[in-house]
């Protein structure tokens, strides 16, 4: 587990107020199932004034170099730009339940992540959560359980199982009602966050944007 990862300091600061205008570690582009082009997403990230974000297309890192290049253009023009972290949403099996893992801040060219960046979920042993978390951490990334309360199993079981496997964190603040304008769901997010803290897991937050605005779903 990369204990000195610089992204840890950022995630340690996450609160229910961090998203959607300060931090966003869960969003999508046309490179998977989103509606925004990478260029348009980069423009919105700058306009919103995000400080840190990651684009987490499913089993893809295709948008990352495009967005990185767009941010460099904004910066060269004198604009303040957010810090962009690598990100991918990876499917895996945890407690016999199909879940999603946010791989954040990993080395983009590390061979351990190659099987998970081919556009589709893997099969066989590599689909196990233990294999996924090992691959992410081998690539110097952080593994966080995405939207823990969206699965068929109770979030308490899944978060505890993730912690036992060495996950780095969980997506504590999420809009389970999927509002046009993001807001953390009452009660459930507080319970997820409390359990994550109890298990010494980092918190993340994100809009899980699939539409045309980074401010909502």
């Amino acid at each position: 587990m990369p204990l000195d990862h610089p992204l840890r300091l950022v995630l340690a600061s996450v609160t229910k107020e961090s998203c959607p205008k300060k931090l966003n570690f869960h969003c999508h582009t046309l490179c998977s199932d989103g509606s925004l082009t990478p260029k348009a997403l980069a423009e919105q990230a700058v306009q919103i004034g995000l400080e840190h974000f990651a684009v987490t297309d499913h089993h893809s890192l295709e948008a990352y170099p495009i967005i990185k290049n767009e941010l460099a253009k904004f910066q060269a023009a004198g604009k303040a730009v957010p810090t962009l972290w690598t990100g991918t949403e990876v499917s895996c099996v945890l407690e016999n339940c199909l879940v999603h893992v946010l791989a954040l801040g990993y080395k983009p060219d590390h061979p351990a992540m190659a099987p998970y960046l081919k556009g589709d979920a893997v099969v066989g042993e590599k689909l196990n959560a233990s294999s996924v978390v090992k691959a992410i951490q081998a690539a110097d990334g952080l593994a966080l359980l995405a939207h823990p309360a969206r699965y068929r199993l109770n979030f308490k079981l899944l978060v505890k199982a993730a912690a036992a496997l060495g996950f780095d964190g969980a997506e504590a603040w999420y809009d389970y009602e999927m509002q046009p304008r993001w807001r953390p769901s009452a009660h459930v997010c507080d319970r997820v966050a409390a359990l994550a803290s109890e298990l010494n897991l980092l918190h993340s937050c994100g809009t899980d944007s699939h539409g045309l605005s980074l401010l909502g779903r």
Side-chain angles (χ1 to χ4, degrees):
M1 187 182 299
L3 296 175
D4 59 346
H5 198 294
L7 183 53
R8 282 185 170 276
L9 291 175
V10 180
L11 295 179
S13 73
V14 170
T15 70
K16 65 175 65 178
E17 288 83 25
S18 298
C19 190
K21 292 191 172 182
K22 181 178 179 181
L23 307 175
N24 193 340
F25 294 105
H26 193 167
C27 55
H28 299 274
T29 72
L30 289 170
C31 295
S32 65
D33 57 348
S35 302
L36 288 168
T37 65
K39 183 176 184 293
L41 192 149
E43 290 171 351
Q44 285 196 31
V46 172
Q47 290 167 0
I48 291 169
L50 284 174
E51 295 177 14
H52 295 266
F53 76 114
V55 177
T56 53
D57 283 320
H58 295 271
H59 296 277
S60 174
L61 195 61
E62 186 180 348
Y64 176 76
I66 303 172
I67 293 171
K68 187 176 181 180
N69 185 57
E70 290 300 317
L71 293 179
K73 291 179 183 177
F74 279 113
Q75 192 168 39
K79 296 275 190 178
V81 301
T83 298
L84 173 67
W85 300 87
T86 52
T88 303
E89 191 167 6
V90 179
S91 299
C92 71
V93 174
L94 176 66
E95 294 293 302
N96 294 314
C97 179
L98 185 65
V99 303
H100 293 166
V101 180
L102 299 175
L104 301 177
Y106 63 87
K107 291 180 179 176
D109 299 320
H110 198 285
M113 285 297 294
Y116 302 102
L117 300 176
K118 297 181 178 180
D120 293 302
V122 298
V123 296
E125 178 67 26
K126 285 185 171 61
L127 186 61
N128 291 335
S130 58
S131 298
V132 171
V133 71
K134 287 177 183 175
I136 295 169
Q137 292 175 352
D140 292 335
L142 302 177
L144 294 94
L145 181 63
H147 38 63
R150 275 192 67 184
Y151 307 111
R152 63 177 179 83
L153 294 183
N154 186 279
F155 76 86
K156 294 180 182 178
L157 173 64
L158 293 172
V159 173
K160 288 177 180 178
L165 285 179
F167 274 57
D168 299 283
E171 190 171 26
W173 307 108
Y174 188 82
D175 186 350
Y176 290 97
E177 285 75 41
M178 301 181 187
Q179 303 292 317
R181 179 63 176 241
W182 186 92
R183 66 182 181 197
S185 297
H187 308 303
V188 62
C189 286
D190 291 314
R191 292 166 65 198
V192 171
L195 179 59
S197 294
E198 179 184 323
L199 296 170
N200 294 315
L201 294 175
L202 295 167
H203 297 184
S204 74
C205 61
T207 55
D208 197 7
S209 297
H210 286 74
L212 294 173
S213 173
L214 273 182
L215 295 176
R217 170 75 171 188

